[in-house]
Amino acid sequence: MDFSGKTVAITGAASGIGLATAQAAANLGASVIALDRDIHALEGIREDFAAKGWSMTAIEVDIGSEDSVREAVGVRMESVTSVDLLVNSAGIVSRGMFETTTGEEWQRVLSINLSGSFFCLQQMIPLLKAGTGRAAVNVASLAAKRVSYTGGVSYTAAKAGMLGLTRHAAFELASVGIRVNAVCPGPVLTAMTQRVLPEEERKKVAAMVPLGDWLSPDDVAQAILFLGSPAARMITGTALDIDGGLSLITGASFESYQRSRQ
Ligand SMILES: NC(=O)c1ccc[n+]([C@@H]2O[C@H](COP(=O)([O-])OP(=O)(O)OC[C@H]3O[C@@H](n4cnc5c(N)ncnc54)[C@H](O)[C@@H]3O)[C@@H](O)[C@H]2O)c1
């Protein structure tokens, strides 16, 4: 893949999957527009990028607020003339059980994990039209098709909504040549999962994955960049599972499946 001369805008670029995508894109020659609410982390990352000779612009945004997205794209990105690929990776996780999830928690997760991606894609359409890459990739989750292990009901619902957003945007924006796809990662070792799952629990998660390991943020980044590259020029509206085979299993582990046949 070659992203020389391309501009890649990434939300949630200060950490985890967003950061890995920013690094992989820059390594392939892209100019990165890194958007995150954590501007201090972005400033530090910009120094690392500069040391490697990579181009990066840091933009502060709270994607849960339409006004903030409007300001980030319309004012802080004023000098940007085109975007070739938008990656919507910013997100949060909530752990509440169904019966005790408050309206406030529900709204917060939906506004960041679902509405945020809608606002960013909608606001960036003129920039995407001005680019030649004309692609967007939404970072959904395996939870979009199943049930979240790390998060609660609001997380599962928001990620399922993200697939509807992806399909509908793909359908409408095909008329202007913009492709919109989603990735559905299984368990990825990032700050998000490390924060909520203790070491013992993390081992159990790896044991559940048929390929036997957690995903790395770069495993997801590579799939995102494939979907955002010309190699995927006729792929739109799809949701690609990147999960080490986790969605293949029935609930039983491979060991118990094998044991039952001996
Ligand atoms: N880690 C996993 O196992 C996993 C699995 C499937 C999907 N995902 C999804 O991948 C995406 C990235 O997750 P991650 O694991 O890299 O998490 P992370 O916590 O490492 O990174 C998330 C980034 O999003 C930013 N962010 C959060 N809320 C924001 C807001 N309102 N405005 C702007 N920026 C905001 C954070 O500051 C952070 O830099 C999320 O959408 C998450 O739901 C993660």
Side-chain angles (χ1 to χ4, degrees):
M1 285 185 289
D2 182 10
F3 278 80
S4 309
K6 303 287 184 208
T7 300
V8 180
I10 303 165
T11 72
S15 178
I17 294 167
L19 174 57
T21 307
Q23 290 165 329
N27 195 33
L28 292 168
S31 293
V32 171
I33 315 269
L35 299 112
D36 206 287
R37 66 179 172 192
D38 188 347
I39 191 67
H40 300 295
L42 284 185
E43 299 293 356
I45 292 162
R46 189 170 51 187
E47 283 172 26
D48 291 347
F49 271 50
K52 293 185 169 111
W54 295 344
S55 160
M56 192 258 237
T57 307
I59 307 280
E60 185 174 9
V61 66
D62 171 4
I63 63 156
S65 150
E66 184 175 5
D67 288 347
S68 175
V69 174
R70 219 175 267 285
E71 193 191 326
V73 178
V75 180
R76 298 201 184 111
M77 285 174 61
E78 204 179 20
S79 60
V80 177
T81 53
S82 64
V83 167
D84 294 289
L85 167 62
L86 164 67
V87 180
N88 278 313
S89 186
I92 56 168
V93 75
S94 68
R95 306 269 289 156
M97 297 292 287
F98 191 96
E99 284 190 274
T100 51
T101 293
T102 61
E104 192 187 344
E105 182 184 344
W106 171 264
Q107 292 297 347
R108 199 169 97 83
V109 175
L110 268 284
S111 74
I112 294 174
N113 287 12
L114 178 57
S115 307
S117 298
F118 167 72
F119 296 144
C120 290
L121 178 54
Q122 192 186 48
Q123 291 298 314
M124 284 206 204
I125 288 173
L127 289 171
L128 286 164
K129 281 183 182 169
T132 53
R134 298 203 168 188
V137 178
N138 294 323
V139 182
S141 169
L142 203 53
K145 299 175 176 176
R146 301 275 193 283
V147 166
S148 180
Y149 184 77
T150 313
V153 60
S154 50
Y155 187 88
T156 299
K159 292 300 185 181
M162 210 179 201
L163 297 193
L165 164 68
T166 302
R167 285 196 304 274
H168 200 102
F171 178 67
E172 282 201 25
L173 297 179
S175 62
V176 289
I178 297 174
R179 299 180 300 105
V180 187
N181 288 292
V183 290
C184 293
V188 191
L189 257 194
T190 65
M192 180 182 274
T193 39
Q194 277 163 330
R195 233 179 349 253
V196 294
L197 296 179
E199 182 64 36
E200 261 322 291
E201 202 54 37
R202 282 187 233 153
K203 282 189 193 148
K204 284 189 205 155
V205 171
M208 285 193 299
V209 176
L211 284 178
D213 202 359
W214 280 78
L215 281 96
S216 73
D218 190 59
D219 292 327
V220 185
Q222 296 302 327
I224 291 171
L225 292 182
F226 161 69
L227 286 172
S229 77
R233 81 173 190 102
M234 290 302 282
I235 302 177
T236 196
T238 197
L240 178 63
D241 296 342
I242 310 153
D243 64 357
L246 191 55
S247 55
L248 301 173
I249 62 176
T250 58
S253 69
F254 179 70
E255 282 71 28
S256 64
Y257 169 84
Q258 196 179 34
R259 236 186 351 260
S260 72
R261 278 157 179 75
Q262 284 166 354

